[in-house]
Amino acid sequence: MRGRGHSQNPPHRFAKTVTELDTGVSRHESTIVLTELSNVQAKSILSTNTSPDIPFERSLNAYRGCEHGCVYCFARPTHAYLDLSPGLDFETQIFFKSNVADLLRQEFSNSRYEVKTISLGNITDVYQPVEKRLGITRQILEIMLEYQHPVSLVTKSSLIERDIDLYTQLARQNLVHVAITITTLNNKLARNLEPRAATPSRRLKSIQTLSQARVPVSVLVAPIIPVLTDYELENILEQSKEYGAQGANFVMLRLPHEVQGLFTDWLQRHYPLKAGHVLSRLKEMHGGELYRSKFGKRMRGSGMYASIIEQRFRLACKKFGINRHFHELDHSRFTRPENLRSPQLEMF
């Protein structure tokens, strides 16, 4: 299906009934499926995390579902909680929280609020195509700047360049860090894997644009897919460094819940001769299973193959001069502008 990662809507894991099409009945399927947007009035906006293998404690997710349509996306199973399929529904049924700005101001205005870096884009991309029209992420950044609150962000979209003015101002106060995700530098493979995301060359250009604006930027090589993209690790790191990336990290392919079936089906259709080898490598990293969600292992796996990838990453970072300095954001600048305008303070 043109422009989509998956063309089917397999049932989710909570489904009580399953509908199957009679294979003897012919039908015509449109090659174009439009995106449907749903406005959600959220009750709360910030999420906390205690996982030992995730480098942030607090996150904000303004969207559910993602138009990028990445076939490997570990967030696909979240649509099951909405009684929707992690397949095509995840890419075409997008939910956005229109009251994010109000909730964020309420959080920051609370006298008991404790400042911790807020991470954006760790579930679904905050710069997916609908953001161009809705502008929710820009609203969030404007509030971060107003309150001088530290924020980190990960994206694979060149739309981030739209907000370069805000990132520049945040960077001057050491309040922001950006990571650009690059999965592959192969345009054909990227088109199949991430049909609506920016091309690899555009992502490198975004790294360059941010770097030239003195915005701290890293590259996230994710996910590394055994056999399909693992050989590109050093090249991605070298190219990213040349375009201005200061840091780097990586994540191995994760296949939780329904993503296993979706990715396996995609693999058999697009790369049937490599499918067996890819799946074999994944099982090697997860004790004979395609995926295990064990803390400390789910992001990078274990075993000989996983160890080799770790070593290659460390050596490449050392060779290209990446990750030499740890960039810690400033938490001391946080202010509440509305307090400065209170009647009592105006007396002075």
Side-chain angles (χ1 to χ4, degrees):
M1 186 170 292
R2 189 168 57 189
R4 300 295 181 182
H6 288 285
S7 59
Q8 300 176 354
N9 268 325
H12 58 78
R13 60 193 181 281
F14 304 125
K16 295 181 179 179
T17 60
V18 178
T19 302
E20 294 185 0
L21 178 70
D22 186 341
T23 55
V25 179
S26 62
R27 64 172 180 173
H28 170 74
E29 289 191 2
S30 171
T31 57
I32 299 177
V33 178
L34 300 179
T35 300
E36 296 183 23
L37 299 179
S38 298
N39 188 343
V40 175
Q41 292 294 301
K43 295 182 179 180
S44 61
I45 194 60
L46 298 180
S47 301
T48 56
N49 156 69
T50 57
S51 171
D53 48 11
I54 296 180
F56 59 86
E57 294 182 45
R58 188 175 292 163
S59 62
L60 189 160
N61 298 292
Y63 295 100
R64 298 188 71 170
C66 185
E67 276 191 293
H68 282 159
C70 304
V71 298
Y72 52 73
C73 183
F74 69 89
R76 284 181 175 274
T78 61
H79 251 42
Y81 296 109
L82 304 173
D83 198 23
L84 293 170
S85 173
L88 188 59
D89 281 348
F90 179 80
E91 307 171 35
T92 58
Q93 303 287 328
I94 309 299
F95 297 80
F96 66 95
K97 302 171 184 177
S98 60
N99 61 336
V100 165
D102 292 337
L103 292 176
L104 197 55
R105 286 183 182 279
Q106 290 176 22
E107 289 280 356
F108 289 172
S109 299
N110 190 327
S111 61
R112 292 175 295 180
Y113 178 76
E114 181 183 356
V115 180
K116 292 182 180 180
T117 299
I118 293 178
S119 183
L120 308 179
N122 289 281
I123 301 298
T124 52
D125 205 309
V126 292
Y127 281 112
Q128 59 179 289
V130 296
E131 166 62 20
K132 187 175 183 178
R133 178 155 41 117
L134 298 177
I136 295 176
T137 299
R138 184 170 179 87
Q139 293 178 37
I140 295 171
L141 293 174
E142 289 172 341
I143 295 174
M144 295 292 182
L145 182 60
E146 178 184 352
Y147 285 80
Q148 294 181 293
H149 194 291
V151 59
S152 64
L153 181 141
V154 59
T155 183
K156 59 184 63 169
S157 172
S158 59
L159 183 58
I160 190 174
E161 296 174 23
R162 177 199 66 184
D163 298 331
I164 194 69
D165 58 323
L166 298 177
Y167 286 111
T168 302
Q169 294 179 68
L170 287 164
R172 287 173 186 162
Q173 302 177 66
N174 192 24
L175 294 173
V176 68
H177 179 269
V178 174
I180 302 295
T181 302
I182 297 180
T183 312
T184 175
L185 296 176
N186 183 313
N187 285 325
K188 181 179 179 181
L189 178 56
R191 226 174 12 249
N192 287 333
L193 276 172
E194 310 154 333
R196 291 198 174 195
T199 63
S201 59
R202 277 300 284 122
R203 297 184 214 181
L204 287 172
K205 179 63 177 176
S206 293
I207 290 176
Q208 184 180 58
T209 300
L210 290 163
S211 178
Q212 290 176 346
R214 298 186 181 279
V215 178
V217 58
S218 299
V219 61
L220 176 61
V221 187
I224 293 179
I225 304 176
V227 182
L228 287 189
T229 70
D230 55 358
Y231 68 94
E232 296 188 75
L233 177 58
E234 288 82 0
N235 194 20
I236 292 174
L237 292 172
E238 181 178 18
Q239 290 285 311
S240 299
K241 175 62 178 179
E242 289 179 0
Y243 277 82
Q246 301 171 3
N249 204 345
F250 79 91
V251 177
M252 296 298 297
L253 176 66
R254 300 170 57 192
L255 299 178
H257 301 300
E258 294 90 346
V259 185
Q260 289 190 18
L262 291 168
F263 182 78
T264 301
D265 175 70
W266 175 89
L267 197 58
Q268 294 287 358
R269 285 188 287 111
H270 290 276
Y271 300 94
L273 298 181
K274 296 182 178 181
H277 195 183
V278 174
L279 298 178
S280 175
R281 285 293 193 194
L282 289 172
K283 291 179 180 179
E284 180 184 336
M285 290 191 297
H286 295 288
E289 302 177 27
L290 287 178
Y291 177 68
R292 288 190 299 179
S293 58
K294 185 178 180 180
F295 284 164
K297 303 294 183 183
R298 56 180 180 161
M299 298 293 191
R300 299 190 173 184
S302 59
M304 182 66 72
Y305 175 75
S307 177
I308 290 173
I309 295 295
E310 290 266 8
Q311 292 177 42
R312 286 175 53 194
F313 175 77
R314 287 198 303 271
L315 290 172
C317 286
K318 182 178 181 180
K319 178 179 179 180
F320 303 127
I322 300 176
N323 285 341
R324 285 183 175 175
H325 305 286
F326 177 74
H327 185 78
E328 188 171 353
L329 301 182
D330 190 347
H331 291 65
S332 66
R333 292 178 176 271
F334 180 71
T335 58
R336 296 183 174 89
E338 63 272 22
N339 291 344
L340 299 178
R341 296 190 296 268
S342 68
Q344 285 184 320
L345 290 178
E346 287 179 359
M347 294 174 62
F348 299 96

